[in-house]
Amino acid sequence: MRWIAVFFATLALNAASAQVPSAPVRAIAPFCSPGGVVCVSVAIDGDGRASYSVSRLGAPVIAPSRLGFMLTDAPKIERGLAIMGSSERAFDETWEQPWGERRLVRNQYRELSVAFAEREGLQRRFAVVFRVYDDGLGFRYEVPAQDGLATARISAELTEFVIADPGEAWWIPALEWNREEYLYNRTAIDAVGLAQTPITFRTEDGLHLSLHEAALVDYAGMNLSRAEGQRFRAMLTPGVTAASVVRDTPFLTPWRTLQISDNAAGLAMSNLILNLNEPNALGDVSFFEPMTYVGIWWEMHLGQASWASGERHGATTERAIRAIDFAADNGFGGVLIEGWNVGWDGNWFGNGWDFSFTQAYPDFDLERVAARAQARGVQIIGHHETGGNAYHYERQMRDGFALYQRLGVHVVKTGYVADAGQAQGEGPDGAPTMIWHESQAMVRHQQRVVEEAFAHGIAVNPHEPVKDTGLRRTYPNLVSREGARGMEFNAWGQPGNPPEHEANLVFTRLLAGPMDFTPGIFGMQTSSPDGVATTWAKQLALYVVIYSPIQMAADLIESYEANPGPFQFIRDAPSDWEESLVLNGEVGDYVTIARQERGGADWYLGAITDENPRVLETPLSFLAPGRRYRAHIYADAPDAHWRDGRERIVISAREVTRADVLTLRLAPGGGQAIRFEALPGRIRGS
Amino acid sequence: MRWIAVFFATLALNAASAQVPSAPVRAIAPFCSPGGVVCVSVAIDGDGRASYSVSRLGAPVIAPSRLGFMLTDAPKIERGLAIMGSSERAFDETWEQPWGERRLVRNQYRELSVAFAEREGLQRRFAVVFRVYDDGLGFRYEVPAQDGLATARISAELTEFVIADPGEAWWIPALEWNREEYLYNRTAIDAVGLAQTPITFRTEDGLHLSLHEAALVDYAGMNLSRAEGQRFRAMLTPGVTAASVVRDTPFLTPWRTLQISDNAAGLAMSNLILNLNEPNALGDVSFFEPMTYVGIWWEMHLGQASWASGERHGATTERAIRAIDFAADNGFGGVLIEGWNVGWDGNWFGNGWDFSFTQAYPDFDLERVAARAQARGVQIIGHHETGGNAYHYERQMRDGFALYQRLGVHVVKTGYVADAGQAQGEGPDGAPTMIWHESQAMVRHQQRVVEEAFAHGIAVNPHEPVKDTGLRRTYPNLVSREGARGMEFNAWGQPGNPPEHEANLVFTRLLAGPMDFTPGIFGMQTSSPDGVATTWAKQLALYVVIYSPIQMAADLIESYEANPGPFQFIRDAPSDWEESLVLNGEVGDYVTIARQERGGADWYLGAITDENPRVLETPLSFLAPGRRYRAHIYADAPDAHWRDGRERIVISAREVTRADVLTLRLAPGGGQAIRFEALPGRIRGS
């Protein structure tokens, strides 16, 4: 038997006694974005279940999808609900990023807040707030303080997303919720497995969608479980108790976000996730300056040096000083030095108990290295690998950051290499317990790290991070993250990233925020069967295509010294932008992005393709009117190919104006990078 | 960065120091079933990960699939494993069921036990035991007592099932893990969502597979999460802590089962799940006699009476006595009386705190009803609805069973109507906590119920149960279950069961064990849009097609009194069998089953179809040689149809022998039921 039976049977006989929660069917008419493009509707069914639906230009995008929560210590919040009221407001502002892919961001939306309450029993209350933009929407639950729900122990969110039209999806699996480093699946929407977000859809009529979340704070990360057909259910990352999330009321959930666009470029241009985050809560973060950096790093992945101590130890004083001098000589801002600290000699993977964040290995003179860096006007990029042991790290991070602060370090790369992390348990003993990478406990931990770092004038760049949900707006010292398969996958004795990988990233992972991908490799032969499966020109293009305010020149110094021609583009490319434009692109196939240097007149362009060659006609109308530019062009040679002609690059220069149209010829696995150097003077007559 | 990176980088440099768990690659050659049909292989990869694979007649069925566990308080058990040894044995026995679909069951398998251990760190140990049959296999983990793992807190099983060939799947979703009452999805294998088991597959080359589990004891139920492609991962039902399962070592997991057959009929004929359960642990259960029963039940679903008290209360003394007399007059063994006890007047769904299991409503004289039942030689079928509140029920069930024992009741139907149950929490206060229907806590509860009931000479028939995993072999007073969409779904004001439903059940849910489906409805018009979407002949056929030792004649007494012709088959049909044969069938399309009465010479045949008509040529070679039978045939009339000709049934009789071939003509949504009455004497010359 089933509840509905009881409902109908009882209703038929005892309607008057209202023994079963019952609510009048009620709906809220479509509530639309400022431009009337995207609309959301809310309804209550005969059993008192709440649902929402989304349309764009009158066509359904999200079919009616349920709302609610399962709790570990009380009946679920789903049935017997009534709409108690609703309110609306409009908002429009333009705000400035301290650093970013664009300086000014417009945040214009209309907001609908719907208040729900149970009519019987615990009479619990919550609101769902929708912020509707012309390019999508976000909604979150607002749960007020109340007697019937002092503490919410959430075992599962019932939030659903029913994709209205069939189509394709690009997604990575949520396996042990351990990391984001998987290759992308491209399947039918109704063939998606248990997926992480962001997940990108293209419906049969060409509509592009991306489901993700914004402002993930003190909550568990959201994965998507496809129940049946195209019905996706929020699946929260497991917690340290039966509840994925434990929050005292009042509390807010993260925003569940849906970006909607006619084309792929529109997704990549959207500021929706950033806008749904709270404004800067820290204040001045000018201690952080966007930069390109080099490091003692790639040699470890190539197996030419080790993180661990010994004769092959990579992080020696001499190597560090050489890297600092190289950075200074080439105008780079920093040097990452991995393996400098004690703790790498055991099995640190998923363990991390041996790491010290203050004690250097004997062959690494931290003070001397720091002095040299300051003398040369270069920053050390600090490194805190934890092996996922947040518990151990939190007991040392203050000292670790204080040390770095004294040495003039303003950015630290953190790492959480593990299948499952470790954090303070809930038990009376508080012993460490295993936690998932995107559990509420790890979300809280990374928040504490960001705040502790800020207190020491330090920015953080987490690897194996909690996924990006736009928190850089609120905590602008959270400058970049990894959170996807990066360059190092091309170094190991296994299949690396395929030629389509970066064209997938732009329209999936990168919709969430900056990524420290670490491009710029010229030495293409590695232990990986295909080595680095791109052309040189594509490696250069990645400096424009993949946005990060802290961008690595990842190759060995020798590699750059041997190839000054293509290296010049890496020296020139800025890491901070006035504006960014996605000129064209298709998910997983190709993309062209143009960005204007922040505080400068130069523009930069990057175009990349997958395993297929492309010819892209590219109007330069983004260039300033009345100006002439010298285009420094780094293009694939006619016979370039990711498999057997990666180094074949043609470097040329020509003058252009915004009236020109460039024909970009990309080789298989290739790309093109262009610096548009603004020339003095104005065009006569303009 | 990712572990594999550390592995390769470290290995390259520090191979000797073995800082990373490492095991020699090793494999165990194919180990095959007694007939050499099904074979299993085991391997360890370079990272020390264990996997298994399955082949049938040399063709892969399960591609290499991983093994292991995630734990909440220790690193996962997966990498750095070595095979420490293995052992084999052969087994062949034939055992007798006290009641069942067949009296004698042969259990012939070859067993391979593989011992694994971590070579580093905690050096944890476990074995995987494979029992390989000619029609499939089961495997389970055996975890010995050990210092490195005194208590296993299992957050996830890593067990995978990679289906080697593409094909179709029939499955129901695992949504809130709340119940099994869903319609079946038929999708491509790589379009399965989060699914419950049993799940049935048909590969493109026609191989039929079913994944399920056997002997679910003190563990969480297994669902299947499709990670990517055709790779399924065991997903354990959540528990009352972050661990789905908490077990002190030593312990055994349930068997993970794979049934394999060339055709659908072979799946339905398999005894694999039953055989993987332990032998009878209770001893004599002769207090339970298989029976057909009537009840005060359908009128509530039709809305003609109520469970709750009041003028429409269904469970009155008078109604009960009338039902008892009707049962006795027609040779039925029992009468189910729902709503007899106090507790139905509130909102008991998912609540259940008001239920008393000893106090009857004032208008129900339990003693008088029991006396009448005994006087007429009929049993009362007891009823314990809990609203999912196992916590509350356990505090009363002993008294409830004792009362029933005193009154001569030997079967109790239990119920757990709720989205989530409630059981003793793990906290210091032991307050009740919400639990899923197939959580370890509910599995333990239903075990306690079965044992308590046995102590009182009572069998149980749980509705909204933990799924059947063959435990009836070990606990033969666990006689039947619901655990799927039953007849009542056709009574309510919503879409009921479609014509294909029962043809789905036979090859999915019913592979797990008996189901108290409650067939036999003649009153086809209900609040449901399509009413009962079968013909009368199909309703009769269900008494043979759907096996249950306790089978309901579910319709109103008036309905049977008005239709003595077709009712005769329900009166005749036994509930216990000497043998059962699946003569033909396709998943979700049609099936024909013949069963021989236990302790008798008569055979019964049931054939059903979905919305499509069928003509099935059916040889009667299953009948005994040298005997003549009178075939009492209940067939769809030529113009019968589930939509507008349900009552059109043709009842006829003819003499047949095993040499005959019957042509069964099934109407859309129809069926056919036949009693083969063995006639005295032998055929001359035989």
Side-chain angles (χ1 to χ4, degrees), chain A residues 1 3 5 13 19 66 72 76 79 176 185 191 226 228 233 347 349 419 434 464 482 492, chain B residues 1 3 5 19 66 72 76 79 176 181 185 191 226 228 233 305 347 349 419 434 464 482 492:
Chain A
M1 192 164 52
W3 185 85
L13 310 176
Q19 289 162 5
R66 72 200 285 211
T72 62
K76 70 178 180 180
R79 294 185 175 112
E176 289 100 56
N185 290 286
R226 190 178 55 83
E228 299 171 291
R233 166 82 51 87
N347 172 26
F349 167 75
D419 283 326
M434 306 305 284
E464 305 79 39
E482 188 185 41
W492 311 327
Chain B
M1 192 162 52
W3 185 84
Q19 289 163 3
R66 71 199 287 212
T72 63
K76 70 178 179 179
R79 294 185 174 111
E176 290 101 54
E181 295 166 8
N185 290 286
R226 190 178 55 83
E228 299 171 290
R233 167 82 51 86
N347 172 24
F349 167 76
D419 284 325
M434 306 305 283
E464 305 79 38
E482 187 186 42
W492 310 326

Side-chain angles (χ1 to χ4, degrees), chain B residues 454-467:
Chain B
F454 177 76
H456 293 86
I458 291 174
V460 292
N461 167 27
H463 282 230
E464 305 79 38
V466 169
K467 64 184 169 183

Side-chain angles (χ1 to χ4, degrees), chain B residues 101 184 197-200 210 212 259 267-270 273-274 468-470 472 480-485 501-518 542 544-548 551 582 591 593 595 608:
Chain B
E101 64 276 62
Y184 280 85
T197 73
I199 180 173
T200 298
S210 176
H212 189 45
Q259 289 159 287
L267 288 183
M269 287 286 289
S270 172
I273 288 170
L274 210 46
D468 198 333
T469 58
R472 61 187 164 128
S480 194
R481 312 192 193 210
E482 187 186 42
R485 265 179 156 240
H501 183 58
E502 298 85 358
N504 278 325
L505 286 179
V506 169
F507 300 107
T508 51
R509 157 67 180 87
L510 297 183
L511 299 179
M515 177 181 175
D516 186 24
F517 181 82
T518 66
L542 293 177
V544 182
V545 168
I546 297 179
Y547 169 66
S548 178
Q551 192 77 276
V582 181
V591 64
I593 297 179
R595 306 187 193 268
I608 62 169

Side-chain angles (χ1 to χ4, degrees), chain B residues 41-56:
Chain B
S41 302
V42 175
I44 293 272
D45 71 11
D47 297 337
R49 290 193 191 82
S51 67
Y52 75 98
S53 54
V54 179
S55 64
R56 180 172 186 274

Side-chain angles (χ1 to χ4, degrees), chain A residues 1-6 8-10 12-14 17 19-21 66 70-76 78-79 155-156 158 160 171-179 181-185 190-194 225-229 231 233 235 238-243 297 300-301 303-309 312 338 344-350 385 417 419-420 432-436 463-464 482 485 488-489 492-494, chain B residues 1-6 8-10 12-14 17 19-21 66 70-76 78-79 155-156 158 160 171-179 181-185 190-194 225-229 231 233 235 238-243 297 300-301 303-309 312 338 344-350 385 417 419-420 432-436 463-464 482 485 488-489 492-494:
Chain A
M1 192 164 52
R2 181 157 161 287
W3 185 85
I4 195 71
V6 184
F8 279 96
T10 315
L13 310 176
N14 315 311
S17 68
Q19 289 162 5
V20 174
R66 72 200 285 211
M70 304 285 296
L71 305 174
T72 62
D73 58 350
K76 70 178 180 180
E78 184 196 21
R79 294 185 175 112
S155 54
L158 298 179
E160 289 185 344
W171 57 282
I172 57 174
L175 295 177
E176 289 100 56
W177 296 281
N178 59 338
R179 278 183 307 277
E181 295 166 7
Y182 301 97
L183 290 175
Y184 280 84
N185 290 286
D190 68 4
V192 173
L194 184 55
S225 169
R226 190 178 55 83
E228 299 171 291
R231 183 153 57 102
R233 166 82 51 87
M235 177 170 281
V240 296
T241 68
W297 178 78
M300 273 86 97
H301 289 289
Q304 297 175 8
S306 70
W307 286 274
S309 62
R312 309 197 58 171
E338 292 200 0
W344 295 90
D345 294 329
N347 172 26
W348 55 268
F349 167 75
E385 173 56 47
V417 179
D419 283 326
T433 179
M434 306 305 284
I435 54 171
W436 304 111
H463 282 230
E464 305 79 39
E482 188 185 41
R485 265 180 154 238
E488 64 274 18
F489 275 77
W492 311 327
Q494 60 175 0
Chain B
M1 192 162 52
R2 180 155 162 289
W3 185 84
I4 194 71
V6 184
F8 279 99
T10 315
L13 309 176
N14 316 311
S17 67
Q19 289 163 3
V20 174
R66 71 199 287 212
M70 304 283 298
L71 305 174
T72 63
D73 58 348
K76 70 178 179 179
E78 182 197 21
R79 294 185 174 111
S155 54
L158 298 179
E160 289 185 342
W171 57 282
I172 56 174
L175 294 178
E176 290 101 54
W177 297 281
N178 58 339
R179 279 183 306 279
E181 295 166 8
Y182 300 97
L183 290 175
Y184 280 85
N185 290 286
D190 68 4
V192 174
L194 184 55
S225 168
R226 190 178 55 83
E228 299 171 290
R231 183 153 58 101
R233 167 82 51 86
M235 178 172 279
V240 296
T241 68
W297 179 78
M300 272 86 96
H301 289 290
Q304 297 175 9
S306 70
W307 286 275
S309 62
R312 310 199 56 172
E338 292 200 0
W344 295 89
D345 294 328
N347 172 24
W348 54 268
F349 167 76
E385 173 57 48
V417 179
D419 284 325
T433 179
M434 306 305 283
I435 55 171
W436 304 110
H463 282 230
E464 305 79 38
E482 187 186 42
R485 265 179 156 240
E488 66 274 18
F489 275 78
W492 310 326
Q494 59 176 356

Side-chain angles (χ1 to χ4, degrees), chain A residues 127-192:
Chain A
V128 179
V129 177
F130 298 88
R131 289 187 182 171
V132 191
Y133 294 78
D134 286 339
D135 66 351
L137 84 162
F139 66 89
R140 70 179 175 190
Y141 298 88
E142 295 184 353
V143 185
Q146 52 195 293
D147 296 341
L149 190 62
T151 300
R153 295 183 174 84
I154 301 169
S155 54
E157 226 181 271
L158 298 179
T159 312
E160 289 185 344
F161 310 88
V162 181
I163 310 300
D165 293 326
E168 289 183 295
W170 288 261
W171 57 282
I172 57 174
L175 295 177
E176 289 100 56
W177 296 281
N178 59 338
R179 278 183 307 277
E180 298 76 21
E181 295 166 7
Y182 301 97
L183 290 175
Y184 280 84
N185 290 286
R186 177 179 180 172
T187 70
I189 294 174
D190 68 4
V192 173

